Amino acid sequence: MSAKRDYYEVLGVGRDAGASDIKKAYRKCAMKYHPDRNPDDAEAEERFKEAAEAFEVLNDGEKRELYDRYGHEGPSRAGFSGFSGTDEVMSHFEDLFGGLFGFGQRRGGARRGGDMKVELRVSLSDAFEGGEHDVSISRPESCDSCDGSGAEPGSSPQTCPQCNGQGQVIHRQGFFTLQTTCPACRGQGKVISNPCGDCSGTGTVERESTLTINVPAGIDDGQTLRIQGRGLPGAGGGPPGNLYVIVRVTEDPRFIRDEFDIHSNVIVTMFQAAIGCDVEADTLEGRVDIEIEPGTQPGATIKLKGKGMPVLGRGRGRGDHIVHVEVRVPDDLSEEHLVALQRIAEERDEDVSKGSSGFFGFGKKRRRRG
Ligand SMILES: [Zn+2]
Ligand SMILES: [Zn+2]
């Protein structure tokens, strides 16, 4: 969120609202925007988080006073930094009101699913343009045949006889009691005597799926995109983990990238460099004509301002494109041409029989002929 809204406005309460009004208003807000009721709705999720943050501040006497006095800056002085993610807000909400609302049961055995990583390879021009790309990921999903229970349809998991469904067993050794995960059910509290044939009793099947990822223009090699809730499924009603997409930008032999600038070469002959010419240079947007001035030196650079990569983040402009001029000397000149060059050199009073250290010919005083 760019600009934070007023906390009182977020909860729809007056500045003099009492603690119970604030709690009531938060509950109303949070239920309306709860992610379980608004799946895949980014705006609702943002409102849900916003309400939790507003409540956290207004429900705390000290933070509320700081907020009233200094605005959004205030509570952060007291070490308040808001919430980092939706999962955190969800468990915060449930700690406060309990799982009374029929939302996913996160109490007890609820566990957030693990995160996943996947690589996405894009070309430099894809990175320049940004846009949608498909990644295919293989991840375990709840088995349809047994509805994730792992038990053959028609049967159901039995309470584990070894731990009586506790998932933990207690060993006594003298004065000590040791509690360990039940080996029979591996802590699940249930055992499957008749496993589902489709998932071999695991409750999950590996499934290939394709996700469309929105790659921001200007992304660089190795940067990672976080796709919330697209990781491994959670257990016991817990939320899924996140998917991390590591973007690999394939090198383009025509270009070298340096942050948001692009460097490339153009090759001209020594005649073109001396006389001047127009050449075509490759840029991210295709070929453009650039002018080589008469007397251009090897290694000279021409800056095409704002023709580099987009700077990540909206409206931040673009880097530059820098064209490096490479000058080639012909090695296949005919005798006739060599004589012609010799003549030019003599006319310029250059002694071509002797090499020169330092600046060959440059800066030399021109002597008039005759
Ligand atoms: Zn057990
Ligand atoms: Zn199954």
Side-chain angles (χ1 to χ4, degrees):
M1 279 228 147
S2 41
K4 279 191 178 181
R5 290 204 297 154
D6 177 67
Y7 288 149
Y8 292 99
E9 190 190 310
V10 167
L11 295 180
V13 294
R15 298 214 146 241
D16 52 357
S20 73
D21 288 337
I22 286 172
K23 193 166 176 177
K24 226 179 276 171
Y26 170 50
R27 189 163 82 170
K28 210 172 111 191
C29 236
M31 284 183 66
K32 184 171 168 198
Y33 295 119
H34 197 289
D36 286 358
R37 279 205 180 162
N38 305 273
D40 293 326
D41 181 343
E43 206 199 320
E45 191 177 319
E46 214 45 67
R47 294 260 173 263
F48 182 66
K49 283 196 274 194
E50 188 184 46
E53 189 178 317
F55 173 74
E56 265 302 280
V57 170
L58 300 186
N59 191 47
D60 179 302
E62 190 196 349
K63 285 180 202 151
R64 183 172 175 179
E65 208 186 305
L66 284 167
Y67 176 70
D68 287 345
R69 204 181 296 174
Y70 304 109
H72 289 105
E73 286 287 286
S76 58
R77 295 190 192 186
F80 178 70
S81 59
F83 296 97
S84 60
T86 309
D87 299 342
E88 200 187 325
V89 180
M90 285 207 260
S91 53
H92 166 264
F93 175 73
E94 267 140 44
D95 287 350
L96 199 64
F97 299 111
L100 306 170
F101 307 106
F103 298 134
Q105 297 134 8
R106 280 167 229 285
R107 289 163 299 166
R111 265 182 296 118
R112 183 178 167 275
D115 294 331
M116 286 181 76
K117 276 184 193 167
V118 66
E119 271 195 5
L120 171 64
R121 201 160 269 286
V122 298
S123 68
L124 184 66
S125 79
D126 289 337
F128 167 63
E129 279 164 14
E132 295 187 333
H133 289 267
D134 287 346
V135 287
S136 84
I137 50 171
S138 169
R139 61 182 169 184
E141 284 178 20
S142 182
C143 171
D144 287 336
S145 315
C146 62
D147 222 9
S149 76
E152 184 67 20
S155 73
S156 56
Q158 310 293 308
T159 301
C160 172
Q162 193 157 333
C163 64
N164 284 321
Q166 299 302 302
Q168 303 277 316
V169 284
I170 291 166
H171 307 273
R172 284 180 217 287
Q173 280 183 334
F175 294 113
F176 301 102
T177 0
L178 288 172
Q179 194 169 341
T180 58
T181 302
C182 170
C185 62
R186 279 171 297 168
Q188 300 298 303
K190 290 190 189 306
V191 285
I192 295 157
S193 43
N194 194 5
C196 163
D198 286 346
C199 63
S200 315
T202 59
T204 57
V205 283
E206 200 74 15
R207 208 167 285 156
E208 186 96 1
S209 61
T210 304
L211 260 182
T212 304
I213 307 291
N214 199 16
V215 174
I219 196 145
D220 205 349
D221 183 56
Q223 287 182 319
T224 301
L225 304 169
R226 192 182 76 131
I227 317 293
Q228 184 141 358
R230 296 306 188 125
L232 297 170
N242 298 323
L243 175 70
Y244 290 90
V245 180
I246 303 152
V247 179
R248 291 281 164 214
V249 181
T250 310
E251 277 186 28
D252 187 314
R254 298 171 300 166
F255 304 120
I256 290 171
R257 177 175 182 171
D258 176 23
E259 302 257 325
F260 300 105
D261 290 340
I262 293 288
H263 295 260
S264 70
N265 274 0
V266 289
I267 296 168
V268 296
T269 68
M270 68 178 211
F271 303 108
Q272 290 173 313
I275 300 164
C277 65
D278 282 339
V279 290
E280 282 192 323
D282 281 317
T283 72
L284 293 165
E285 289 158 293
R287 301 203 131 187
V288 295
D289 277 333
I290 57 170
E291 195 189 340
I292 302 292
E293 303 264 353
T296 293
Q297 304 303 327
T301 56
I302 297 157
K303 188 191 268 187
L304 308 174
K305 228 175 157 23
K307 294 289 178 191
M309 291 295 278
V311 176
L312 269 182
R314 247 168 291 170
R316 302 230 201 117
R318 284 168 61 183
D320 300 325
H321 185 125
I322 295 127
V323 179
H324 298 251
V325 182
E326 203 175 299
V327 178
R328 291 275 162 88
V329 177
D331 58 2
D332 57 353
L333 292 177
S334 64
E335 198 62 32
E336 220 173 305
H337 289 155
L338 288 171
V339 168
L341 282 179
Q342 181 91 33
R343 206 193 59 232
I344 295 169
E346 276 163 14
E347 279 176 22
R348 287 169 50 83
D349 288 338
E350 283 178 23
D351 185 353
V352 290
S353 67
K354 269 193 270 171
S356 162
S357 63
F359 298 104
F360 188 82
F362 306 129
K364 231 184 201 177
K365 265 188 205 146
R366 245 179 214 181
R367 267 184 281 164
R368 212 165 275 150
R369 290 181 66 230

